[in-house]
Amino acid sequence: MTDPTRHTRHLRKQLVVVGHGMVGHRFVQAAIERGLTETYDIVVLGEEPRPAYDRVALTSFFEVGADALSFLPEGAYDDPRVTLRLNTEVVALDAAARTVTLAGGEQLRYDELVLATGAAPFVPPVPGKDLDNVFVYRTIEDLEAIREASRGARAGAVIGGGLLGLEAANALHQLGVPTHVVEMAPRLMAVQVDDAGGATLKRHIEELGLSVHTGVMTELIDGDADGKVSAIKFKDQDALPLDLVIFSAGIRPRDAIAREAGIDVAERGGVLVDEQCRSSDEHVWAIGECAAPGGRMYGLVAPGYTMAEVVVDTLLGGAAGAFTGADMSTKLKLLGVDVASFGDAFGTTEDCLELVFADAVAGIYKKLVVKENATGGFELLGGILVGDASAYGVLRPMVGSGMELPENPEELILPAGRGGGVELGLPDEAQVCSCNDVTKAQIKAAVSEDSTLNDGGPCSDAGCVTRCTRAGATCGSCKTVVKKIVEDHFAATGKTVDRSLCEHFAMTRQELFEVVAVHGYNRFDDIIEGHGRGRGCDICKPAVASILASLLNHHVLDGSNATLQDTNDAYLANLQKNGTYSVVPRIPGGEITPDRLIVIGEVAKEFGLYTKITGGQRIDLFGARMEDLPAIWKRLVDAGMESGHAYGKSLRTVKSCVGSTWCRYGVQDSVGMAIELELRYRGLRSPHKLKGGVSGCARECAEARSKDFGIIATEKGWNLYVCGNGGAIPAHAQLLAGDLDSATLIRYLDRFLMYYIRTADRLQRTSYWMDAIGGLDRIREVVVDDALGLGSELEAAMAQHVDSYFDEWKATIEDPEKLARFVSFVNAPGTPDPNITFREERGQIQAATNDGPVSLGATIPVGAPR
Amino acid sequence: MTPVCRLDQIRRESGVTALVDGEAVAVFRTYDDEVFALSNFDPYGKASVLSRGIVGTRTVQREDGDEQVPFVASPLLKQPFDLRTGACLDDPAVAVPTWQVRVVDGVVLVGARRETLAS
């Protein structure tokens, strides 16, 4: 069949998207995914110098850098029918001619126009607002300028104590600038929380060392002779000397080009659109913060995403969706304080009642707004949570669900020890994930037997549901609820989910781990006789081998253990495609002496090995014949090197940047810390491979956030990130705890790693494990808050590992019984396997394969080039 | 038949490679001390590695009930091969050659390559 687009090219239409922010990007993504580019060429015009990035996480820019925030690090879409033009400002729109005019004068014709121009920060007309070092908080460029101005600043003020203002204050505080938060309203976050909640929040923030001024009017900003900010003056108060000011006093829709083109705009700004997000001109659409569906503007990203989907739907011409308003519920962590606000948070509904729990000492404030229904029960209308928002995931879906509250609704907000922690049954139509609009019914459908979401079958667990339905994939606050729904569903349908490891063990790896630990087993035979059937396979044997190694830290080739080991562990090396192995000595933290480098080079030359630098800052030697492994390791061990465990589901490396010992920017000794951690956890067998990284400053040159555990130095200590990985589905590690001293960092890491080893499924990497056990908050409860009281047990288990570590390669070359396995032929140990062949490329050997077995026969020469 | 090693040189549920008439032959010993010999060459991965695979059992449903099949999983990509017939348990169209083998006085003897697959 020929390409159908070839014949219809002249019929293709042009769609222009103005704005490449989060919503513009989502629109393009949806357009590509759902086939809109089959009929439209899409031109995206972005004003900023870089492609769309995660503006919600803007504050983390100082920590993670621009690349980590980017949604499109490659700078272009995969689909050739989409053109992205950056640094391109649109100055005018002619709806009649269907053209837009760019800043350079160029005109672009469109068939359909989607405005996603977002919003601009509102700067009130305060005298001095145009001085140098007065900023807004919207783009990466703004943050770069703020960082520049923060150097040596005596103090700074953020004008605006709303959600964004507190984000900006957090950024300023992180930059080490004494920070003042200035709010005209009598409380912080006036839109989301009430007076009592605002007061609790204020206390938390003041405890962190920030100054909060509520109910004050900024009269003027004073400048010095250079035109730079020198002080701020509030009404009826003395001037406060400081060197920078950030305005964060709200946003205004950027609707200018539509307004000037005569398209209808809402009274309070924003392109007026209908439920399909179509403006008063039928070919002009508006989505995100620049749009005002029904006259109202939405300053959150989730409604913007919904609008983007609706427009794609409508343009596809199928069953069009509609945007009929959005849930403006919010849950976030501001300056380390949980804040959530949902539903009718202020109790504006007639005849509603408020239930309040406040603990000023602990800094917790919780309020529920409820109303009596026709049958005399109570329904939840909304609420506010400050200091502890853990109930948000359960409470928010109850709003508007029609569900009746339990008899003592106050228990919903009481701490667990005081009668709280009741069980709830949400109705099916309750929206569980507000970020991605997933209901309880959809979650249940995903795990029901006739589901085809997961590769044609039902989802297997909560983590799988998150991947397939996106429930919990954005902010993660509903993950515990998702997990509960999935488990309840399985329990209710009486279907025991087959979580068997394999046909030989009808239990999960976690259950098997407990069985082995409780019984103190140390042999596979006892385990399978007592708890399994048959004689095992390539799935359960390595799983048992890993569990035994984690618990006992014995030699993996001891006794009958040897026959359980997976391919690589069985010969303590990585099997390559032609039957040879690769060898990786440990190079902790990537630090190596010239003498050891020379030994590695000599070994490679002597044994004819291909050498390559690995991603984990080590050197991999390829092409080793199995029978040569002991001799290779003898040389390496004699030179003081040890196994790098590159072959194990175990700790691989802890990568580091050069850190404060050499780097001009480094704030801590990242190499020293990486070496300490790598030596501490070396040889630790785990459900999957484990990688770590340590960066000496926020520039993050060690790419620590792509690791299972990543540590980034701060001025005050270390930030600990967990559950990241590279690979096919990359995941950024998330902040578990900040500004830790070295001892606390190691304590948390000990607990984290042991908790993972005990509870993860086989071959489940940390990011998937996190989803399955209930998200980062759950890990924090166990590891940081020690909610299960497991802390000391996990630490003791790790201490036992550290104390009993030995180099398994050194032990192997000293043990004739283990060495006996390393032969080419049991009856001809001196004869190399003729099946192993190599070819040469770029001056080194490469693996070659043969179509069939190679016979030595009587005449065929033995072996390969050596 | 070629004597290749003593039976106690092969651990239970593992294999060794023997050189038999110039060819690499994988010799396996099961949990109940049965001995099997297959070509060491993995037809999927095209490398001489089968003796290094994990040995276990798999339940295979037959017309006359379930059968416990002793098998080895290739160490490369884990395809399972029936130790008795050399047949791949996931793809009946693929099989590796087998050799006659027996144990006499504690010594493993490998004989001729079998002409046809046993079934």
Side-chain angles (χ1 to χ4, degrees):
Chain A
M1 223 168 95
T2 52
D3 177 5
T5 59
R6 185 177 304 167
H7 305 287
T8 56
R9 181 137 306 187
H10 62 288
L11 295 176
R12 287 180 64 79
K13 295 194 272 189
Q14 173 140 298
L15 189 151
V16 173
V17 181
V18 184
H20 196 237
M22 295 175 78
V23 172
H25 171 68
R26 177 65 164 251
F27 174 85
V28 177
Q29 266 189 323
I32 294 170
E33 277 166 21
R34 297 179 27 212
L36 194 59
T37 47
E38 300 302 319
T39 43
Y40 286 91
D41 290 321
I42 297 184
V43 180
V44 192
L45 306 171
E47 189 182 64
E48 290 184 51
R50 58 185 95 235
Y53 50 88
D54 188 352
R55 225 185 283 279
V56 173
L58 194 58
T59 309
S60 66
F61 164 70
F62 296 133
E63 259 172 52
V64 305
D67 288 348
L69 293 181
S70 182
F71 286 140
L72 201 62
E74 314 79 38
Y77 288 94
D78 273 344
D79 191 323
R81 297 160 296 195
V82 179
T83 313
L84 173 62
R85 295 174 62 178
L86 299 173
N87 285 310
T88 304
E89 191 190 348
V90 175
V91 294
L93 155 62
D94 184 338
R98 287 204 230 161
T99 59
V100 289
T101 307
L102 309 185
E106 183 187 344
Q107 287 202 329
L108 275 182
R109 196 196 54 75
Y110 66 78
D111 294 292
E112 302 294 337
L113 180 71
V114 175
L115 299 174
T117 46
F122 168 66
V123 178
V126 178
K129 71 178 171 62
D130 297 320
L131 286 166
D132 273 0
N133 290 353
V134 175
F135 303 100
V136 294
Y137 192 82
R138 186 75 182 162
T139 64
I140 287 179
E141 283 67 32
D142 292 335
L143 265 72
E144 283 173 336
I146 290 168
R147 177 161 64 188
E148 189 61 36
S150 72
R151 301 216 167 94
R154 289 169 294 170
V158 175
I159 298 184
L163 204 155
L164 262 180
L166 294 181
E167 288 277 357
N170 186 19
L172 205 52
H173 179 64
Q174 275 180 13
L175 289 168
V177 180
T179 303
H180 297 267
V181 179
V182 183
E183 171 59 51
M184 208 160 62
R187 61 170 184 269
L188 295 173
M189 290 188 70
V191 179
Q192 289 88 8
V193 306
D194 58 10
D195 282 339
T200 307
L201 182 59
K202 182 178 172 190
R203 272 198 301 280
H204 273 292
I205 291 172
E206 284 174 340
E207 263 172 37
L208 294 170
L210 287 83
S211 309
V212 180
H213 312 262
T214 49
V216 300
M217 276 281 287
T218 306
E219 213 164 57
L220 68 93
I221 304 168
D222 227 347
D224 61 15
D226 299 335
K228 284 188 179 161
V229 172
S230 63
I232 189 166
K233 172 93 179 65
F234 305 135
K235 198 170 181 327
D236 305 325
Q237 287 182 35
D238 291 338
L240 197 62
L242 42 73
D243 295 316
L244 73 126
V245 170
I246 303 173
F247 275 106
S248 189
I251 53 172
R252 296 288 180 269
R254 299 183 61 199
D255 57 12
I257 57 170
R259 190 183 286 266
E260 285 157 17
I263 290 171
D264 291 349
V265 293
E267 201 174 318
R268 293 163 67 186
V271 180
L272 193 64
V273 294
D274 63 14
E275 288 188 354
Q276 275 68 51
C277 297
R278 193 192 295 255
S279 75
S280 58
D281 181 285
E282 63 170 328
H283 298 292
V284 177
W285 313 73
I287 55 178
E289 290 173 341
C290 71
R296 181 177 172 194
M297 175 252 197
Y298 294 84
L300 292 179
V301 72
Y305 283 173
T306 311
M307 293 183 225
E309 302 278 344
V310 165
V311 173
V312 172
D313 263 351
T314 311
L315 288 173
L316 279 169
F323 181 85
T324 54
D327 180 6
M328 297 301 280
S329 298
T330 341
K331 179 197 170 202
L332 64 164
K333 218 179 188 69
L334 283 170
L335 293 143
V337 186
D338 273 344
V339 181
S341 161
F342 56 97
D344 180 10
F346 293 96
T348 55
T349 311
E350 209 179 320
D351 295 332
C352 67
L353 300 169
E354 292 187 355
L355 293 166
V356 174
F357 169 81
D359 180 343
V361 178
I364 292 171
Y365 171 79
K366 302 180 187 179
K367 180 178 89 171
L368 296 185
V369 179
V370 301
K371 185 173 172 163
E372 198 170 344
N373 64 16
T375 57
F378 284 93
E379 287 178 21
L380 185 64
L381 299 180
I384 293 169
L385 306 167
V386 177
D388 170 19
S390 53
Y392 176 79
V394 176
L395 294 174
R396 198 206 46 75
M398 293 167 64
V399 175
S401 68
M403 180 186 159
E404 206 162 283
L405 291 175
E407 219 156 280
N408 303 311
E410 68 276 8
E411 293 186 355
L412 293 170
I413 50 174
L414 283 179
R418 290 153 77 172
V422 288
E423 298 269 316
L424 284 166
L426 290 170
D428 279 356
E429 60 279 10
Q431 187 195 46
V432 172
C433 174
S434 59
C435 297
N436 296 297
D437 186 18
V438 185
T439 62
K440 180 178 175 184
Q442 286 171 294
I443 291 167
K444 282 163 67 178
V447 288
S448 73
E449 258 176 49
D450 46 356
S451 164
T452 55
L453 274 182
N454 177 29
D455 224 359
C459 290
S460 54
D461 57 23
C464 183
V465 169
T466 295
R467 287 189 294 284
C468 294
T469 66
R470 299 191 51 75
T474 303
C475 81
S477 67
C478 61
K479 272 185 185 166
T480 43
V481 182
V482 172
K483 181 165 188 274
K484 183 96 176 59
I485 292 172
V486 170
E487 285 169 356
D488 288 353
H489 175 79
F490 284 144
T493 50
K495 191 179 69 155
T496 38
V497 203
D498 189 9
R499 303 199 54 202
S500 302
L501 204 55
C502 62
E503 67 167 80
H504 306 102
F505 286 99
M507 54 182 109
T508 63
R509 178 189 175 278
Q510 181 183 354
E511 289 160 346
L512 188 57
F513 191 103
E514 281 163 16
V515 163
V516 175
V518 168
H519 290 265
Y521 288 128
N522 54 25
R523 289 174 63 232
F524 176 80
D525 291 350
D526 299 334
I527 300 168
I528 197 155
E529 269 162 33
H531 307 272
R533 54 179 172 266
R535 281 303 307 167
C537 65
D538 52 308
I539 291 170
C540 59
K541 284 188 170 180
V544 167
S546 166
I547 291 169
L548 289 174
S550 292
L551 282 168
L552 305 172
N553 200 23
H554 54 199
H555 198 297
V556 297
L557 300 184
D558 268 348
S560 58
N561 291 331
T563 60
L564 308 177
Q565 304 301 332
D566 212 345
T567 306
N568 293 339
D569 273 318
Y571 292 89
L572 306 180
N574 294 53
L575 181 64
Q576 304 298 333
K577 60 193 273 187
N578 67 343
T580 62
Y581 288 86
S582 80
V583 170
V584 185
R586 183 168 302 289
I587 302 180
E591 183 185 88
I592 186 165
T593 61
D595 281 342
R596 286 191 180 169
L597 270 180
I598 287 167
V599 171
I600 291 176
E602 284 173 353
V603 167
K605 275 175 88 167
E606 187 177 324
F607 291 89
L609 307 176
Y610 167 87
T611 54
K612 187 173 189 311
I613 309 285
T614 72
Q617 301 185 327
R618 333 202 257 189
I619 299 169
D620 208 339
L621 309 170
F622 289 80
R625 291 166 179 273
M626 186 233 276
E627 62 270 25
D628 286 344
L629 289 172
I632 290 170
W633 272 106
K634 175 92 175 50
R635 292 285 310 275
L636 295 170
V637 168
D638 285 348
M641 283 179 267
E642 62 176 358
S643 168
H645 296 97
Y647 45 79
K649 301 293 179 224
S650 58
L651 178 84
R652 298 289 173 81
T653 70
V654 182
K655 187 176 176 178
S656 69
C657 69
V658 76
S660 60
T661 47
W662 288 94
C663 177
R664 286 178 291 138
Y665 301 107
V667 294
Q668 306 280 358
D669 175 14
S670 50
V671 181
M673 177 55 80
I675 292 172
E676 184 179 350
L677 295 177
E678 185 162 339
L679 295 183
R680 183 171 183 78
Y681 303 126
R682 64 187 163 179
L684 179 66
R685 292 300 204 282
S686 49
H688 208 309
K689 62 185 172 186
L690 281 170
K691 295 182 176 183
V694 183
S695 277
C697 79
R699 285 170 185 76
E700 236 285 71
C701 297
E703 297 164 327
R705 286 194 68 199
S706 64
K707 309 298 183 196
D708 297 284
F709 59 94
I711 292 117
I712 301 177
T714 69
E715 299 276 351
K716 298 176 202 150
W718 308 96
N719 282 349
L720 171 58
Y721 297 83
V722 294
C723 302
N725 60 253
I729 305 167
H732 258 115
Q734 297 179 39
L735 185 64
L736 182 70
D739 291 332
L740 304 172
D741 58 54
S742 299
T744 311
L745 171 75
I746 287 172
R747 191 164 74 243
Y748 286 174
L749 262 178
D750 283 359
R751 292 177 178 181
F752 167 75
L753 292 172
M754 271 298 163
Y755 186 43
Y756 164 65
I757 287 171
R758 291 189 172 191
T759 58
D761 268 338
R762 162 187 169 269
L763 299 185
Q764 185 178 42
R765 279 201 82 169
T766 51
S767 61
Y768 283 76
W769 165 72
M770 176 172 72
D771 283 353
I773 63 163
L776 183 67
D777 288 344
R778 181 62 186 160
I779 296 176
R780 193 178 285 119
E781 278 172 23
V782 174
V783 170
V784 179
D785 308 334
D786 197 10
L788 298 181
L790 274 177
S792 52
E793 187 183 329
L794 297 171
E795 287 167 40
M798 188 62 84
Q800 201 226 325
H801 165 80
V802 175
D803 292 344
S804 58
Y805 170 80
F806 60 92
D807 173 18
E808 57 198 18
W809 256 115
K810 183 166 188 288
T812 302
I813 56 179
E814 289 167 354
D815 181 349
E817 196 192 328
K818 295 190 176 74
L819 287 178
R821 295 172 65 245
F822 291 84
V823 290
S824 54
F825 295 107
V826 67
N827 57 343
T831 307
D833 188 338
N835 288 287
I836 293 174
T837 49
F838 300 97
R839 58 194 172 82
E840 200 175 294
E841 206 171 299
R842 294 183 295 277
Q844 293 202 74
I845 57 158
Q846 299 286 356
T849 47
N850 307 302
D851 275 344
V854 177
S855 173
L856 270 178
T859 53
I860 296 170
V862 173
R866 280 284 299 274
Chain B
M1 291 184 99
T2 313
V4 296
C5 62
R6 294 187 318 276
L7 180 65
D8 62 16
Q9 283 178 275
I10 313 176
R11 289 171 194 259
R12 284 205 172 94
E13 297 188 317
S14 78
V16 296
T17 321
L19 192 59
V20 179
D21 300 332
E23 294 217 38
V25 176
V27 184
F28 297 97
R29 173 181 176 187
T30 63
Y31 186 67
D32 42 16
D33 289 342
E34 279 196 274
V35 179
F36 299 101
L38 314 180
S39 166
N40 197 45
F41 192 83
D42 172 358
Y44 292 96
K46 303 206 179 300
S48 177
V49 294
L50 285 185
S51 71
R52 300 176 224 169
I54 285 176
V55 175
T57 58
R58 180 185 279 202
T59 310
V60 176
Q61 283 159 7
R62 309 275 191 212
E63 279 169 17
D64 48 353
D66 287 353
E67 185 188 16
Q68 291 291 313
V69 176
F71 79 103
V72 61
S74 166
L76 285 168
L77 297 172
K78 310 286 155 122
Q79 286 88 0
F81 296 94
D82 188 332
L83 289 181
R84 302 164 311 179
T85 65
C88 175
L89 294 173
D90 288 346
D91 181 357
V94 176
V96 297
T98 60
W99 269 257
Q100 290 175 358
V101 61
R102 67 191 144 112
V103 181
V104 177
D105 295 335
V107 174
V108 180
L109 306 170
V110 177
R113 180 170 155 168
R114 290 196 185 122
E115 288 308 311
T116 53
L117 291 178
S119 62

